[in-house]
Amino acid sequence: MKTKEEIFIEQINLKRREAYHELFRRFYRSLVIFALKYIDEQGEAEDIVQELFVSVWEKEEKFMSYASFRVFLYNAVRNTCLNRIKHKKVEEKYAAYRQLHPVNPELDDYDVMEEEIYRRLFKTIDELPPRCKEIFLLHLDGKKNEEIAAQLKITLLTVKTQKKKRFDIFVKKCKILACCVFC
């Protein structure tokens, strides 16, 4: 003959509504009190226990015994409380950091625009033919035309012509980009 606890666990495993009413009656108060050992707010402790009950309902986990189920409930409440405490500490550190380093929305927007400009610039560079790309990257590194020509073993006129062609492309793309960003 099965005990009340064994029947209770079977009903929990079968997701019977009556068993969840019994779960609430048996454990709700004691789990809230247990959570209050970690968390000072009554409402938050109640939320933790309610969320646990919902997760027990939604999980496909099967419990082997009443004792293991009880241990599971208390461990879950303790772990959730500890995680919330850690999360609060992170929030407090972030709030303290923000007080010392206030956010300037204009600078954040500027940073985003600058990132977008660089992203598009390098995308355009990647689309260049290999030799032209090489010339342009050397130019961006601060090399003079003569140095680029010597390094790549090409004529000075080729370097100047390639740079002029690519500069025209960049000017057109930058005008379009400026319209997109600032309009």
Side-chain angles (χ1 to χ4, degrees):
M1 187 164 168
K2 294 182 182 180
T3 66
K4 287 182 183 179
E5 284 82 14
E6 290 171 332
I7 295 169
F8 173 71
I9 291 301
E10 282 180 5
Q11 297 299 307
I12 289 287
N13 287 337
L14 294 171
K15 308 289 185 203
R16 304 288 176 170
R17 186 173 290 224
E18 306 80 38
Y20 281 85
H21 289 291
E22 183 64 25
L23 170 65
F24 185 85
R25 281 191 291 281
R26 285 187 189 195
F27 289 101
Y28 182 76
R29 276 198 189 114
S30 60
L31 288 172
V32 170
I33 291 168
F34 182 72
L36 285 169
K37 291 180 181 180
Y38 298 95
I39 301 212
D40 296 332
E41 290 183 39
Q42 174 83 23
E44 189 173 1
E46 290 173 353
D47 288 346
I48 288 170
V49 174
Q50 289 173 10
E51 289 168 13
L52 171 61
F53 289 170
V54 169
S55 75
V56 168
W57 176 265
E58 291 175 344
K59 283 185 179 181
E60 295 299 319
E61 189 169 342
K62 300 292 182 200
F63 300 98
M64 301 307 291
S65 69
Y66 184 81
S68 66
F69 180 64
R70 196 168 151 6
V71 168
F72 166 79
L73 292 174
Y74 282 92
N75 282 338
V77 168
R78 184 192 72 233
N79 292 340
T80 303
C81 289
L82 294 175
N83 287 339
R84 292 221 180 156
I85 291 167
K86 285 179 193 174
H87 184 72
K88 280 185 182 177
K89 286 180 182 177
V90 169
E91 286 177 342
E92 289 167 2
K93 282 183 183 179
Y94 181 73
Y97 173 82
R98 276 289 155 223
Q99 282 185 328
L100 295 173
H101 305 91
V103 175
N104 183 342
E106 291 176 14
L107 289 179
D108 283 350
D109 289 346
Y110 176 76
D111 290 342
V112 170
M113 287 188 296
E114 186 179 30
E115 270 305 309
E116 180 62 13
I117 289 168
Y118 278 117
R119 187 188 68 74
R120 289 189 183 192
L121 172 69
F122 285 104
K123 182 178 183 271
T124 304
I125 291 171
D126 286 341
E127 293 169 355
L128 294 174
R131 185 54 123 189
C132 193
K133 180 178 176 180
E134 206 173 2
I135 292 169
F136 203 80
L137 288 174
L138 289 170
H139 171 73
L140 288 178
D141 282 341
K143 303 260 188 215
K144 296 188 185 310
N145 291 345
E146 294 81 11
E147 293 173 304
I148 295 171
Q151 185 174 338
L152 298 178
K153 296 180 175 78
I154 56 176
T155 67
L156 184 59
L157 184 60
T158 303
V159 172
K160 288 180 179 179
T161 304
Q162 289 292 326
K163 280 176 61 180
K164 169 96 174 82
K165 284 181 184 177
R166 298 313 155 205
F167 244 12
D168 291 342
I169 291 171
F170 279 114
V171 167
K172 287 178 187 172
K173 287 199 176 203
C174 287
K175 283 181 183 176
I176 292 169
L177 178 60
C179 287
C180 293
V181 171
F182 297 110
C183 294

PDB file of all heavy atoms in Angstrom, residues 151-181:
ATOM      1  N   GLN A 151      57.311  49.731 -52.861  1.00  0.00           N
ATOM      2  CA  GLN A 151      56.966  48.503 -52.150  1.00  0.00           C
ATOM      3  C   GLN A 151      56.249  47.509 -53.054  1.00  0.00           C
ATOM      4  O   GLN A 151      56.512  46.311 -53.002  1.00  0.00           O
ATOM      5  CB  GLN A 151      56.097  48.826 -50.931  1.00  0.00           C
ATOM      6  CG  GLN A 151      55.792  47.616 -50.074  1.00  0.00           C
ATOM      7  CD  GLN A 151      55.051  47.971 -48.794  1.00  0.00           C
ATOM      8  OE1 GLN A 151      55.102  49.101 -48.323  1.00  0.00           O
ATOM      9  NE2 GLN A 151      54.367  47.002 -48.225  1.00  0.00           N
ATOM     10  N   LEU A 152      55.334  48.009 -53.896  1.00  0.00           N
ATOM     11  CA  LEU A 152      54.563  47.125 -54.764  1.00  0.00           C
ATOM     12  C   LEU A 152      55.218  46.912 -56.124  1.00  0.00           C
ATOM     13  O   LEU A 152      54.682  46.188 -56.966  1.00  0.00           O
ATOM     14  CB  LEU A 152      53.139  47.676 -54.940  1.00  0.00           C
ATOM     15  CG  LEU A 152      52.300  47.789 -53.668  1.00  0.00           C
ATOM     16  CD1 LEU A 152      50.936  48.381 -53.981  1.00  0.00           C
ATOM     17  CD2 LEU A 152      52.140  46.437 -52.995  1.00  0.00           C
ATOM     18  N   LYS A 153      56.332  47.614 -56.349  1.00  0.00           N
ATOM     19  CA  LYS A 153      57.073  47.518 -57.619  1.00  0.00           C
ATOM     20  C   LYS A 153      56.176  47.882 -58.802  1.00  0.00           C
ATOM     21  O   LYS A 153      56.059  47.136 -59.780  1.00  0.00           O
ATOM     22  CB  LYS A 153      57.673  46.127 -57.789  1.00  0.00           C
ATOM     23  CG  LYS A 153      58.709  45.815 -56.719  1.00  0.00           C
ATOM     24  CD  LYS A 153      59.282  44.430 -56.896  1.00  0.00           C
ATOM     25  CE  LYS A 153      60.372  44.144 -55.942  1.00  0.00           C
ATOM     26  NZ  LYS A 153      60.103  43.807 -54.604  1.00  0.00           N
ATOM     27  N   ILE A 154      55.513  49.031 -58.687  1.00  0.00           N
ATOM     28  CA  ILE A 154      54.690  49.572 -59.765  1.00  0.00           C
ATOM     29  C   ILE A 154      55.084  51.027 -59.964  1.00  0.00           C
ATOM     30  O   ILE A 154      55.817  51.594 -59.154  1.00  0.00           O
ATOM     31  CB  ILE A 154      53.164  49.453 -59.444  1.00  0.00           C
ATOM     32  CG1 ILE A 154      52.828  50.147 -58.117  1.00  0.00           C
ATOM     33  CG2 ILE A 154      52.720  48.001 -59.425  1.00  0.00           C
ATOM     34  CD1 ILE A 154      51.348  50.158 -57.770  1.00  0.00           C
ATOM     35  N   THR A 155      54.589  51.621 -61.037  1.00  0.00           N
ATOM     36  CA  THR A 155      54.962  53.006 -61.308  1.00  0.00           C
ATOM     37  C   THR A 155      54.197  53.956 -60.391  1.00  0.00           C
ATOM     38  O   THR A 155      53.113  53.650 -59.899  1.00  0.00           O
ATOM     39  CB  THR A 155      54.664  53.395 -62.776  1.00  0.00           C
ATOM     40  OG1 THR A 155      53.256  53.383 -62.962  1.00  0.00           O
ATOM     41  CG2 THR A 155      55.346  52.441 -63.744  1.00  0.00           C
ATOM     42  N   LEU A 156      54.782  55.132 -60.219  1.00  0.00           N
ATOM     43  CA  LEU A 156      54.166  56.182 -59.418  1.00  0.00           C
ATOM     44  C   LEU A 156      52.835  56.605 -60.041  1.00  0.00           C
ATOM     45  O   LEU A 156      51.858  56.852 -59.332  1.00  0.00           O
ATOM     46  CB  LEU A 156      55.129  57.379 -59.309  1.00  0.00           C
ATOM     47  CG  LEU A 156      54.694  58.533 -58.433  1.00  0.00           C
ATOM     48  CD1 LEU A 156      54.462  58.087 -57.006  1.00  0.00           C
ATOM     49  CD2 LEU A 156      55.746  59.633 -58.464  1.00  0.00           C
ATOM     50  N   LEU A 157      52.785  56.657 -61.376  1.00  0.00           N
ATOM     51  CA  LEU A 157      51.565  57.033 -62.078  1.00  0.00           C
ATOM     52  C   LEU A 157      50.432  56.031 -61.794  1.00  0.00           C
ATOM     53  O   LEU A 157      49.280  56.424 -61.594  1.00  0.00           O
ATOM     54  CB  LEU A 157      51.832  57.128 -63.591  1.00  0.00           C
ATOM     55  CG  LEU A 157      50.657  57.611 -64.434  1.00  0.00           C
ATOM     56  CD1 LEU A 157      50.215  59.005 -64.007  1.00  0.00           C
ATOM     57  CD2 LEU A 157      51.010  57.596 -65.903  1.00  0.00           C
ATOM     58  N   THR A 158      50.751  54.740 -61.728  1.00  0.00           N
ATOM     59  CA  THR A 158      49.741  53.719 -61.418  1.00  0.00           C
ATOM     60  C   THR A 158      49.164  53.943 -60.024  1.00  0.00           C
ATOM     61  O   THR A 158      47.943  53.867 -59.833  1.00  0.00           O
ATOM     62  CB  THR A 158      50.348  52.302 -61.519  1.00  0.00           C
ATOM     63  OG1 THR A 158      50.882  52.118 -62.829  1.00  0.00           O
ATOM     64  CG2 THR A 158      49.318  51.225 -61.226  1.00  0.00           C
ATOM     65  N   VAL A 159      50.030  54.242 -59.070  1.00  0.00           N
ATOM     66  CA  VAL A 159      49.573  54.498 -57.704  1.00  0.00           C
ATOM     67  C   VAL A 159      48.619  55.685 -57.691  1.00  0.00           C
ATOM     68  O   VAL A 159      47.520  55.618 -57.135  1.00  0.00           O
ATOM     69  CB  VAL A 159      50.766  54.751 -56.753  1.00  0.00           C
ATOM     70  CG1 VAL A 159      50.282  55.215 -55.389  1.00  0.00           C
ATOM     71  CG2 VAL A 159      51.617  53.496 -56.619  1.00  0.00           C
ATOM     72  N   LYS A 160      49.022  56.781 -58.343  1.00  0.00           N
ATOM     73  CA  LYS A 160      48.198  57.995 -58.357  1.00  0.00           C
ATOM     74  C   LYS A 160      46.858  57.742 -59.058  1.00  0.00           C
ATOM     75  O   LYS A 160      45.806  58.175 -58.583  1.00  0.00           O
ATOM     76  CB  LYS A 160      48.938  59.134 -59.049  1.00  0.00           C
ATOM     77  CG  LYS A 160      50.091  59.680 -58.220  1.00  0.00           C
ATOM     78  CD  LYS A 160      50.798  60.809 -58.963  1.00  0.00           C
ATOM     79  CE  LYS A 160      51.939  61.376 -58.156  1.00  0.00           C
ATOM     80  NZ  LYS A 160      52.642  62.446 -58.852  1.00  0.00           N
ATOM     81  N   THR A 161      46.883  57.031 -60.162  1.00  0.00           N
ATOM     82  CA  THR A 161      45.656  56.747 -60.919  1.00  0.00           C
ATOM     83  C   THR A 161      44.700  55.891 -60.085  1.00  0.00           C
ATOM     84  O   THR A 161      43.498  56.185 -60.011  1.00  0.00           O
ATOM     85  CB  THR A 161      45.994  56.027 -62.242  1.00  0.00           C
ATOM     86  OG1 THR A 161      46.918  56.820 -62.976  1.00  0.00           O
ATOM     87  CG2 THR A 161      44.763  55.774 -63.074  1.00  0.00           C
ATOM     88  N   GLN A 162      45.227  54.835 -59.467  1.00  0.00           N
ATOM     89  CA  GLN A 162      44.394  53.945 -58.647  1.00  0.00           C
ATOM     90  C   GLN A 162      43.787  54.703 -57.460  1.00  0.00           C
ATOM     91  O   GLN A 162      42.599  54.555 -57.159  1.00  0.00           O
ATOM     92  CB  GLN A 162      45.213  52.753 -58.133  1.00  0.00           C
ATOM     93  CG  GLN A 162      45.588  51.746 -59.193  1.00  0.00           C
ATOM     94  CD  GLN A 162      44.372  51.010 -59.724  1.00  0.00           C
ATOM     95  OE1 GLN A 162      43.416  50.739 -59.015  1.00  0.00           O
ATOM     96  NE2 GLN A 162      44.398  50.699 -61.006  1.00  0.00           N
ATOM     97  N   LYS A 163      44.601  55.538 -56.823  1.00  0.00           N
ATOM     98  CA  LYS A 163      44.097  56.305 -55.683  1.00  0.00           C
ATOM     99  C   LYS A 163      43.011  57.282 -56.121  1.00  0.00           C
ATOM    100  O   LYS A 163      41.995  57.434 -55.447  1.00  0.00           O
ATOM    101  CB  LYS A 163      45.246  57.058 -55.000  1.00  0.00           C
ATOM    102  CG  LYS A 163      46.063  56.174 -54.072  1.00  0.00           C
ATOM    103  CD  LYS A 163      47.251  56.869 -53.471  1.00  0.00           C
ATOM    104  CE  LYS A 163      46.898  58.062 -52.637  1.00  0.00           C
ATOM    105  NZ  LYS A 163      48.069  58.726 -52.049  1.00  0.00           N
ATOM    106  N   LYS A 164      43.201  57.929 -57.255  1.00  0.00           N
ATOM    107  CA  LYS A 164      42.222  58.906 -57.751  1.00  0.00           C
ATOM    108  C   LYS A 164      40.891  58.212 -58.040  1.00  0.00           C
ATOM    109  O   LYS A 164      39.835  58.688 -57.634  1.00  0.00           O
ATOM    110  CB  LYS A 164      42.767  59.587 -59.014  1.00  0.00           C
ATOM    111  CG  LYS A 164      41.759  60.427 -59.773  1.00  0.00           C
ATOM    112  CD  LYS A 164      41.868  61.876 -59.376  1.00  0.00           C
ATOM    113  CE  LYS A 164      40.976  62.765 -60.205  1.00  0.00           C
ATOM    114  NZ  LYS A 164      39.622  62.840 -59.802  1.00  0.00           N
ATOM    115  N   LYS A 165      40.962  57.067 -58.738  1.00  0.00           N
ATOM    116  CA  LYS A 165      39.732  56.338 -59.069  1.00  0.00           C
ATOM    117  C   LYS A 165      38.995  55.923 -57.789  1.00  0.00           C
ATOM    118  O   LYS A 165      37.780  56.071 -57.687  1.00  0.00           O
ATOM    119  CB  LYS A 165      40.055  55.078 -59.885  1.00  0.00           C
ATOM    120  CG  LYS A 165      40.406  55.335 -61.319  1.00  0.00           C
ATOM    121  CD  LYS A 165      40.674  54.000 -62.005  1.00  0.00           C
ATOM    122  CE  LYS A 165      41.131  54.191 -63.433  1.00  0.00           C
ATOM    123  NZ  LYS A 165      41.456  52.899 -64.063  1.00  0.00           N
ATOM    124  N   ARG A 166      39.718  55.391 -56.848  1.00  0.00           N
ATOM    125  CA  ARG A 166      39.092  54.883 -55.624  1.00  0.00           C
ATOM    126  C   ARG A 166      38.609  56.019 -54.738  1.00  0.00           C
ATOM    127  O   ARG A 166      37.602  55.903 -54.073  1.00  0.00           O
ATOM    128  CB  ARG A 166      40.035  53.959 -54.853  1.00  0.00           C
ATOM    129  CG  ARG A 166      40.411  52.730 -55.634  1.00  0.00           C
ATOM    130  CD  ARG A 166      39.195  52.057 -56.265  1.00  0.00           C
ATOM    131  NE  ARG A 166      39.615  51.299 -57.424  1.00  0.00           N
ATOM    132  CZ  ARG A 166      38.859  50.999 -58.439  1.00  0.00           C
ATOM    133  NH1 ARG A 166      37.621  51.400 -58.495  1.00  0.00           N
ATOM    134  NH2 ARG A 166      39.310  50.313 -59.457  1.00  0.00           N
ATOM    135  N   PHE A 167      39.331  57.127 -54.746  1.00  0.00           N
ATOM    136  CA  PHE A 167      38.887  58.273 -53.970  1.00  0.00           C
ATOM    137  C   PHE A 167      37.554  58.788 -54.479  1.00  0.00           C
ATOM    138  O   PHE A 167      36.685  59.145 -53.693  1.00  0.00           O
ATOM    139  CB  PHE A 167      39.942  59.382 -54.028  1.00  0.00           C
ATOM    140  CG  PHE A 167      40.563  59.704 -52.697  1.00  0.00           C
ATOM    141  CD1 PHE A 167      40.384  58.901 -51.594  1.00  0.00           C
ATOM    142  CD2 PHE A 167      41.336  60.842 -52.562  1.00  0.00           C
ATOM    143  CE1 PHE A 167      40.956  59.203 -50.385  1.00  0.00           C
ATOM    144  CE2 PHE A 167      41.920  61.157 -51.357  1.00  0.00           C
ATOM    145  CZ  PHE A 167      41.728  60.334 -50.260  1.00  0.00           C
ATOM    146  N   ASP A 168      37.379  58.803 -55.782  1.00  0.00           N
ATOM    147  CA  ASP A 168      36.112  59.240 -56.360  1.00  0.00           C
ATOM    148  C   ASP A 168      34.969  58.330 -55.895  1.00  0.00           C
ATOM    149  O   ASP A 168      33.885  58.800 -55.556  1.00  0.00           O
ATOM    150  CB  ASP A 168      36.183  59.257 -57.894  1.00  0.00           C
ATOM    151  CG  ASP A 168      37.107  60.349 -58.427  1.00  0.00           C
ATOM    152  OD1 ASP A 168      37.412  61.289 -57.662  1.00  0.00           O
ATOM    153  OD2 ASP A 168      37.516  60.254 -59.594  1.00  0.00           O
ATOM    154  N   ILE A 169      35.226  57.022 -55.861  1.00  0.00           N
ATOM    155  CA  ILE A 169      34.214  56.066 -55.395  1.00  0.00           C
ATOM    156  C   ILE A 169      33.882  56.344 -53.925  1.00  0.00           C
ATOM    157  O   ILE A 169      32.717  56.393 -53.539  1.00  0.00           O
ATOM    158  CB  ILE A 169      34.705  54.609 -55.574  1.00  0.00           C
ATOM    159  CG1 ILE A 169      34.766  54.268 -57.058  1.00  0.00           C
ATOM    160  CG2 ILE A 169      33.821  53.633 -54.816  1.00  0.00           C
ATOM    161  CD1 ILE A 169      35.436  52.947 -57.355  1.00  0.00           C
ATOM    162  N   PHE A 170      34.916  56.565 -53.107  1.00  0.00           N
ATOM    163  CA  PHE A 170      34.690  56.810 -51.692  1.00  0.00           C
ATOM    164  C   PHE A 170      33.944  58.115 -51.461  1.00  0.00           C
ATOM    165  O   PHE A 170      33.075  58.189 -50.591  1.00  0.00           O
ATOM    166  CB  PHE A 170      36.009  56.817 -50.908  1.00  0.00           C
ATOM    167  CG  PHE A 170      36.492  55.444 -50.584  1.00  0.00           C
ATOM    168  CD1 PHE A 170      37.655  54.957 -51.138  1.00  0.00           C
ATOM    169  CD2 PHE A 170      35.786  54.616 -49.723  1.00  0.00           C
ATOM    170  CE1 PHE A 170      38.099  53.690 -50.849  1.00  0.00           C
ATOM    171  CE2 PHE A 170      36.223  53.352 -49.432  1.00  0.00           C
ATOM    172  CZ  PHE A 170      37.384  52.883 -49.995  1.00  0.00           C
ATOM    173  N   VAL A 171      34.260  59.147 -52.223  1.00  0.00           N
ATOM    174  CA  VAL A 171      33.566  60.427 -52.062  1.00  0.00           C
ATOM    175  C   VAL A 171      32.079  60.243 -52.344  1.00  0.00           C
ATOM    176  O   VAL A 171      31.230  60.711 -51.586  1.00  0.00           O
ATOM    177  CB  VAL A 171      34.186  61.513 -52.977  1.00  0.00           C
ATOM    178  CG1 VAL A 171      33.293  62.726 -53.065  1.00  0.00           C
ATOM    179  CG2 VAL A 171      35.572  61.891 -52.489  1.00  0.00           C
ATOM    180  N   LYS A 172      31.744  59.519 -53.423  1.00  0.00           N
ATOM    181  CA  LYS A 172      30.340  59.272 -53.740  1.00  0.00           C
ATOM    182  C   LYS A 172      29.670  58.477 -52.614  1.00  0.00           C
ATOM    183  O   LYS A 172      28.576  58.805 -52.172  1.00  0.00           O
ATOM    184  CB  LYS A 172      30.203  58.511 -55.055  1.00  0.00           C
ATOM    185  CG  LYS A 172      30.494  59.352 -56.280  1.00  0.00           C
ATOM    186  CD  LYS A 172      30.394  58.510 -57.532  1.00  0.00           C
ATOM    187  CE  LYS A 172      30.855  59.326 -58.746  1.00  0.00           C
ATOM    188  NZ  LYS A 172      30.966  58.514 -59.948  1.00  0.00           N
ATOM    189  N   LYS A 173      30.324  57.416 -52.154  1.00  0.00           N
ATOM    190  CA  LYS A 173      29.744  56.597 -51.096  1.00  0.00           C
ATOM    191  C   LYS A 173      29.639  57.378 -49.792  1.00  0.00           C
ATOM    192  O   LYS A 173      28.672  57.212 -49.056  1.00  0.00           O
ATOM    193  CB  LYS A 173      30.549  55.318 -50.900  1.00  0.00           C
ATOM    194  CG  LYS A 173      30.337  54.340 -52.021  1.00  0.00           C
ATOM    195  CD  LYS A 173      30.741  52.961 -51.630  1.00  0.00           C
ATOM    196  CE  LYS A 173      30.400  52.027 -52.774  1.00  0.00           C
ATOM    197  NZ  LYS A 173      30.253  50.668 -52.366  1.00  0.00           N
ATOM    198  N   CYS A 174      30.612  58.222 -49.506  1.00  0.00           N
ATOM    199  CA  CYS A 174      30.571  59.013 -48.276  1.00  0.00           C
ATOM    200  C   CYS A 174      29.440  60.029 -48.316  1.00  0.00           C
ATOM    201  O   CYS A 174      28.799  60.291 -47.305  1.00  0.00           O
ATOM    202  CB  CYS A 174      31.900  59.710 -48.020  1.00  0.00           C
ATOM    203  SG  CYS A 174      33.174  58.561 -47.473  1.00  0.00           S
ATOM    204  N   LYS A 175      29.171  60.610 -49.486  1.00  0.00           N
ATOM    205  CA  LYS A 175      28.049  61.545 -49.594  1.00  0.00           C
ATOM    206  C   LYS A 175      26.744  60.822 -49.329  1.00  0.00           C
ATOM    207  O   LYS A 175      25.877  61.307 -48.619  1.00  0.00           O
ATOM    208  CB  LYS A 175      28.026  62.206 -50.978  1.00  0.00           C
ATOM    209  CG  LYS A 175      29.062  63.290 -51.139  1.00  0.00           C
ATOM    210  CD  LYS A 175      28.973  63.920 -52.513  1.00  0.00           C
ATOM    211  CE  LYS A 175      30.068  64.950 -52.693  1.00  0.00           C
ATOM    212  NZ  LYS A 175      30.073  65.511 -54.046  1.00  0.00           N
ATOM    213  N   ILE A 176      26.610  59.630 -49.869  1.00  0.00           N
ATOM    214  CA  ILE A 176      25.393  58.840 -49.636  1.00  0.00           C
ATOM    215  C   ILE A 176      25.306  58.471 -48.166  1.00  0.00           C
ATOM    216  O   ILE A 176      24.258  58.590 -47.551  1.00  0.00           O
ATOM    217  CB  ILE A 176      25.403  57.572 -50.534  1.00  0.00           C
ATOM    218  CG1 ILE A 176      25.253  57.963 -52.000  1.00  0.00           C
ATOM    219  CG2 ILE A 176      24.306  56.601 -50.093  1.00  0.00           C
ATOM    220  CD1 ILE A 176      25.504  56.842 -52.967  1.00  0.00           C
ATOM    221  N   LEU A 177      26.422  58.076 -47.586  1.00  0.00           N
ATOM    222  CA  LEU A 177      26.456  57.706 -46.175  1.00  0.00           C
ATOM    223  C   LEU A 177      26.114  58.898 -45.299  1.00  0.00           C
ATOM    224  O   LEU A 177      25.336  58.794 -44.372  1.00  0.00           O
ATOM    225  CB  LEU A 177      27.838  57.157 -45.802  1.00  0.00           C
ATOM    226  CG  LEU A 177      28.043  56.771 -44.348  1.00  0.00           C
ATOM    227  CD1 LEU A 177      27.054  55.688 -43.951  1.00  0.00           C
ATOM    228  CD2 LEU A 177      29.460  56.299 -44.118  1.00  0.00           C
ATOM    229  N   ALA A 178      26.662  60.062 -45.633  1.00  0.00           N
ATOM    230  CA  ALA A 178      26.387  61.269 -44.837  1.00  0.00           C
ATOM    231  C   ALA A 178      24.892  61.588 -44.898  1.00  0.00           C
ATOM    232  O   ALA A 178      24.291  61.950 -43.883  1.00  0.00           O
ATOM    233  CB  ALA A 178      27.208  62.446 -45.356  1.00  0.00           C
ATOM    234  N   CYS A 179      24.282  61.423 -46.041  1.00  0.00           N
ATOM    235  CA  CYS A 179      22.841  61.677 -46.166  1.00  0.00           C
ATOM    236  C   CYS A 179      22.063  60.685 -45.304  1.00  0.00           C
ATOM    237  O   CYS A 179      21.102  61.050 -44.639  1.00  0.00           O
ATOM    238  CB  CYS A 179      22.380  61.567 -47.620  1.00  0.00           C
ATOM    239  SG  CYS A 179      22.909  62.966 -48.618  1.00  0.00           S
ATOM    240  N   CYS A 180      22.487  59.432 -45.315  1.00  0.00           N
ATOM    241  CA  CYS A 180      21.785  58.402 -44.536  1.00  0.00           C
ATOM    242  C   CYS A 180      21.926  58.662 -43.032  1.00  0.00           C
ATOM    243  O   CYS A 180      20.984  58.491 -42.279  1.00  0.00           O
ATOM    244  CB  CYS A 180      22.335  57.009 -44.840  1.00  0.00           C
ATOM    245  SG  CYS A 180      21.988  56.464 -46.513  1.00  0.00           S
ATOM    246  N   VAL A 181      23.119  59.050 -42.609  1.00  0.00           N
ATOM    247  CA  VAL A 181      23.399  59.200 -41.191  1.00  0.00           C
ATOM    248  C   VAL A 181      22.812  60.481 -40.638  1.00  0.00           C
ATOM    249  O   VAL A 181      22.254  60.515 -39.545  1.00  0.00           O
ATOM    250  CB  VAL A 181      24.923  59.134 -40.932  1.00  0.00           C
ATOM    251  CG1 VAL A 181      25.258  59.501 -39.497  1.00  0.00           C
ATOM    252  CG2 VAL A 181      25.445  57.744 -41.259  1.00  0.00           C
TER     253      VAL A 181
END
